[in-house]
Amino acid sequence: MAVGDVSMPQMHVVKGVKIGSAEAYVRYQNRRDLVIFEFAEGSNVAGVFTQNAFCAAPVHISKAHLKVGNPRYLVINTGNANAGTGPTGMANAEATCEKLASLAGVSAAEVLPFSTGVIGEQLPIERLVEGLQPALDSLEEDAWLDAATGIMTTDTTPKGASEQFVLDGITYTMTGISKGAGMIRPNMATMLGYVATDAPISRELVQQLLSEAVNVSFNRITVDGDTSTNDSCIFVATGHSGGQEISATTDPRYTAVADVLTRVMKRLAQLIIRDGEGATKFITVAVEGGANTQECCDVAYSIAHSPLVKTAIFASDPNWGRILAAIGYAGVPNLNVENIQVWLGDVQICKDGGAAADYTEEAGATEMQKTEITIRVDLGRGDAKDTVYTCDLSYDYVKINADYRS
C-alpha cells in the first residue's frame, strides 16, 4: 500500500506526443505490458541511463541510437528486463527496433528500446513483436495513464505528474510518468521515467535540463540501495506549441522550464519512494552544514540505506543511536562528532554529539509513528546541504522479493 497521496493528476496532453499500448503477454496475462511513444518529427530527445556496469541490452542500444540522432519512437516492455542475456538479448532488442521501424516507416536507429522486469531471462521476442502493431494501432494523444499502467512491475499504482505553464504568452505542457518500487537506487530503480514537453528547446539544452533535473530527483531516492541494470530516463521537447526555440541558458525561459521540469521529476521520483516495495513510511533525510554537497549526500544516503535505521522506523522505534552510527561510517573526513545535531521532525534527539537534554523517548516515538518522517542532520562544517528520499524496510519487502519470480 503506497504512502500518502499517490493519486494520478490530470495528465495534460503534450502536443507532438502519441502513446499506444497492448497486451503482449511478455510475462503476465490480461494486462498492458507493451507501450509505444511516438514523437513528432523535429522533436529533441535526451536520455540518462544506469551506471551499472552490467547494464541491459536495451540500455546499450538506446545509448547508441541517441548518439546517431533524434529518435521518433520508444518501445517499452515490462515483465522481462532483457539483462544478463548476452548476444541473444542484444539480438532481441535490435529485432524489436527493426520490426517497429519497419511498421512505422522509420530507421531502426530512430527507435529506443526499454525493458523492465526479471533479470537473466530471454525476451519472448515472438510475443513482443506481435504486440507492436496493436500498440501502434492504439496511438493517441491522451493515453498517459495507460502508459503509466503499462510499464508497471511490482508497482502498486501508476505514477504521473503534469503541469501547464506560460512563457511569452504561450501555454505549454510538461507531462511525465515513472515506474519503480524495488531495486531502487538510480545512479545516473528498476526505474524508468519518461517526461515530455511541447515547449521548443534545443537538443543540447534538452540534455542539460534532463541531467540537472535528474541529479536532484531520481538521483536522490533509494528504496534498497540497489542500482538496477535498466534504469533509464528520457526527456523530450517536441516544440509543437510554437514559440522561438530556447537555445541558451541565459534565456529567462530556460530557468522557467528548468523549474517546471524539476518539480515534475521530483514528484515522479518521490512517487517511487511512496510506492516502495512494502513501504509503510515516507522518509526525508535532509543533511545541512556540510563542507560540500557530496559529503551531505554521502551522509544522507548512509542513513537512508541503513537496514537498522529503516527497520527501526518501520517499528516506530526511536533508536537514534542507529542514525548516529550511520553518520559516523559515511566516510566524511575529519568529522567532529561534537558538532553533530540531529532532529526527528521538530524534536531534537542529538545535540553536540550526545543526547539532547530535553529529549524524551516518548517524543521520539511520537515522531516515529507518523507515516511521513523527516530526519534532519546538521554536520556543523559549512553551508552545503542535500536531501535524499527513502522509505522504511518492512516484512513485506522481503516477501515481495522472495516471491518475485514465482
Side-chain angles (χ1 to χ4, degrees), residues 37-43 45 70-74 106 109-111:
F37 280 81
E38 178 186 79
F39 305 134
E41 193 169 359
S43 299
V45 183
N70 274 317
R72 292 285 312 285
Y73 290 87
L74 311 180
V106 298
E110 293 178 277
V111 178

Side-chain angles (χ1 to χ4, degrees), residues 1-7 148 151-160 178-184 190 221-224 267-283 372 389-392 394 396-397 400-401:
M1 189 70 176
V3 181
D5 180 13
V6 295
S7 59
I151 64 174
M152 292 167 56
T153 49
T154 58
D155 308 62
T156 67
T157 182
K159 302 168 177 67
S178 64
K179 66 81 52 182
M183 193 179 272
I184 297 294
T190 306
I221 61 174
T222 180
V223 168
D224 45 26
R267 174 61 176 168
L268 294 174
Q270 290 177 17
L271 284 169
I272 290 175
I273 298 303
R274 291 184 180 279
D275 194 31
E277 289 174 342
T280 68
K281 297 178 181 179
F282 177 83
I283 305 160
E372 303 207 12
Y389 304 95
T390 190
C391 57
D392 58 339
S394 71
D396 284 342
Y397 177 86
I400 290 166
N401 283 282

Side-chain angles (χ1 to χ4, degrees), residues 201-278:
I201 309 169
S202 70
R203 187 180 184 193
E204 292 74 20
L205 290 193
V206 166
Q207 184 66 56
Q208 182 170 329
L209 282 162
L210 175 60
S211 298
E212 291 174 351
V214 161
N215 203 42
V216 295
S217 57
F218 292 116
N219 273 357
R220 291 297 183 271
I221 61 174
T222 180
V223 168
D224 45 26
D226 273 322
T227 296
S228 167
T229 54
N230 293 62
D231 291 337
S232 304
C233 186
I234 298 294
F235 178 45
V236 181
T238 69
H240 268 237
S241 279
Q244 185 176 356
E245 184 177 78
I246 302 171
S247 58
T249 57
T250 53
D251 187 328
R253 296 175 300 160
Y254 176 89
T255 301
V257 170
D259 289 344
V260 176
L261 179 61
T262 297
R263 285 197 300 271
V264 166
M265 292 185 66
K266 277 189 174 182
R267 174 61 176 168
L268 294 174
Q270 290 177 17
L271 284 169
I272 290 175
I273 298 303
R274 291 184 180 279
D275 194 31
E277 289 174 342

Side-chain angles (χ1 to χ4, degrees), residues 215-380:
N215 203 42
V216 295
S217 57
F218 292 116
N219 273 357
R220 291 297 183 271
I221 61 174
T222 180
V223 168
D224 45 26
D226 273 322
T227 296
S228 167
T229 54
N230 293 62
D231 291 337
S232 304
C233 186
I234 298 294
F235 178 45
V236 181
T238 69
H240 268 237
S241 279
Q244 185 176 356
E245 184 177 78
I246 302 171
S247 58
T249 57
T250 53
D251 187 328
R253 296 175 300 160
Y254 176 89
T255 301
V257 170
D259 289 344
V260 176
L261 179 61
T262 297
R263 285 197 300 271
V264 166
M265 292 185 66
K266 277 189 174 182
R267 174 61 176 168
L268 294 174
Q270 290 177 17
L271 284 169
I272 290 175
I273 298 303
R274 291 184 180 279
D275 194 31
E277 289 174 342
T280 68
K281 297 178 181 179
F282 177 83
I283 305 160
T284 300
V285 185
V287 180
E288 60 191 54
N292 53 65
T293 55
Q294 184 59 56
E295 67 182 30
C296 291
C297 192
D298 289 343
V299 170
Y301 266 122
S302 185
I303 295 169
H305 285 156
S306 168
L308 291 179
V309 172
K310 292 160 78 74
T311 50
I313 292 175
F314 169 64
S316 299
D317 177 13
N319 190 344
W320 56 270
R322 295 179 177 184
I323 299 174
L324 293 193
I327 296 170
Y329 63 64
V332 176
N334 303 313
L335 181 66
N336 184 350
V337 298
E338 294 181 358
N339 291 336
I340 301 295
Q341 323 294 324
V342 183
W343 291 261
L344 278 177
D346 294 328
V347 176
Q348 185 164 12
I349 57 177
C350 174
K351 182 176 176 61
D352 301 331
D358 58 352
Y359 170 73
T360 66
E361 188 88 354
E362 182 180 7
T366 298
E367 290 297 320
M368 282 290 205
Q369 288 166 6
K370 296 178 179 178
T371 57
E372 303 207 12
I373 297 169
T374 297
I375 299 172
R376 183 163 65 91
V377 178
D378 189 335
L379 298 176

Side-chain angles (χ1 to χ4, degrees), residues 167-189:
L167 300 175
D168 292 343
I170 301 174
T171 299
Y172 297 106
T173 297
M174 184 93 68
T175 297
I177 59 173
S178 64
K179 66 81 52 182
M183 193 179 272
I184 297 294
R185 196 252 167 119
N187 190 15
M188 347 175 249

